[in-house]
Amino acid sequence: MLGFLSVLAIFASVTIVSFGILPRERIAALSQPSMAGVLAEVVGPWGAAFVGISLIVAVLGAYLSWTLMAAEVLLVAARDGDLPPIFARTNAHDVPVGALTMSTLLVQVLLLVVLLSADAFDVALSLTSAFALIPYVLTAGYGLRVAIADVRAEGARRAAGLGALVVAICATGYTLFLLAAAGGQYLLLAMLVLVPGTALFVVARRRREHRVFAPAEWVVFALAVAAAIAAVVLLSDGAISL
């Protein structure tokens, strides 16, 4: 929380101070990164160069961090038996070769999709929003399920469950609203990635002779497969486009 509040204070301060340096019309006309133009107004041309160099360092750092994080997710899932063991394979330097290769290939596919789209930024934003909102909805739904079980219990657990139930209902309703607002087109496109990923999970679970899904989960997976097929058909017919 302290880190979040610190970053929030910096962002708010930068925004407020900018309006004290330049009028709104000039700020709106600045090229990106706009902070370079604001700082150049205060300290001179070197301020714009400083912001540009800092932005490059920040982007490279974020790229490295997200690359490592994406590979780590696949590596941990493979070691837990939720993905095929090829993603748990490492080389002599303990680099997860399989996980890193798969995550890099997926990023290249996404970059190709964005490159071929009419509005790259909006497509990337909408696609990533759809990817992020699906686990949010499922997590909130699971919280609702747990809260309902607590309410049905006895004693102190029931009293605590009433408050949790209110929070879970609000969270589930809000995430469902966000998912609907993201647009059905991008939800269908997200299924083109999520369904093959789930298929890898199925293969890994069957390999270890573990139960794959509960009956209700099979229904959800069937709906996801149907959505992925619909996305392929609509893309081929031109009914939806990027």
Side-chain angles (χ1 to χ4, degrees):
M1 289 299 297
L2 184 61
F4 170 77
L5 292 175
S6 300
V7 174
L8 178 63
I10 293 173
F11 271 90
S13 300
V14 168
T15 303
I16 294 171
V17 169
S18 298
F19 285 108
I21 297 173
L22 292 173
R24 182 170 59 87
E25 294 76 12
R26 286 190 59 187
I27 293 177
L30 291 174
S31 58
Q32 295 296 334
S34 56
M35 193 63 210
V38 175
L39 190 60
E41 188 72 19
V42 178
V43 300
W46 72 266
F50 175 76
V51 171
I53 294 173
S54 300
L55 182 61
I56 293 174
V57 173
V59 169
L60 290 177
Y63 178 75
L64 176 61
S65 299
W66 282 108
T67 300
L68 295 174
M69 185 180 297
E72 184 74 10
V73 170
L74 293 175
L75 176 64
V76 172
R79 287 178 173 174
D80 289 343
D82 294 328
L83 284 178
I86 188 175
F87 298 114
R89 204 178 71 198
T90 57
N91 62 13
H93 302 285
D94 201 30
V95 175
V97 180
L100 193 59
T101 301
M102 175 58 74
S103 62
T104 303
L105 288 175
L106 289 175
V107 169
Q108 301 310 311
V109 171
L110 181 60
L111 289 176
L112 182 62
V113 170
V114 172
L115 179 64
L116 298 176
S117 64
D119 193 334
F121 180 79
D122 286 343
V123 170
L125 183 62
S126 299
L127 272 177
T128 52
S129 297
F131 282 128
L133 288 173
I134 292 172
Y136 283 168
V137 171
L138 295 177
T139 303
Y142 182 75
L144 179 60
R145 176 184 174 183
V146 173
I148 291 174
D150 288 343
V151 169
R152 292 176 176 173
E154 300 294 336
R157 182 180 171 188
R158 178 172 182 172
L162 290 174
L165 180 62
V166 174
V167 174
I169 291 174
C170 293
T172 304
Y174 181 60
T175 52
L176 285 173
F177 165 75
L178 291 178
L179 191 61
Q185 170 181 340
Y186 293 102
L187 183 59
L188 290 177
L189 293 174
M191 292 300 109
L192 294 177
V193 176
L194 295 179
V195 168
T198 308
L200 291 175
F201 168 78
V202 173
V203 171
R205 298 290 285 185
R206 289 195 179 278
R207 179 188 178 91
R208 297 169 66 92
E209 298 182 352
H210 291 171
R211 189 184 76 167
V212 180
F213 293 132
E217 293 169 342
W218 277 112
V219 174
V220 175
F221 181 56
L223 292 174
V225 172
I229 294 174
V232 173
V233 172
L234 293 173
L235 279 171
S236 61
D237 290 345
I240 60 176
S241 62
L242 299 175

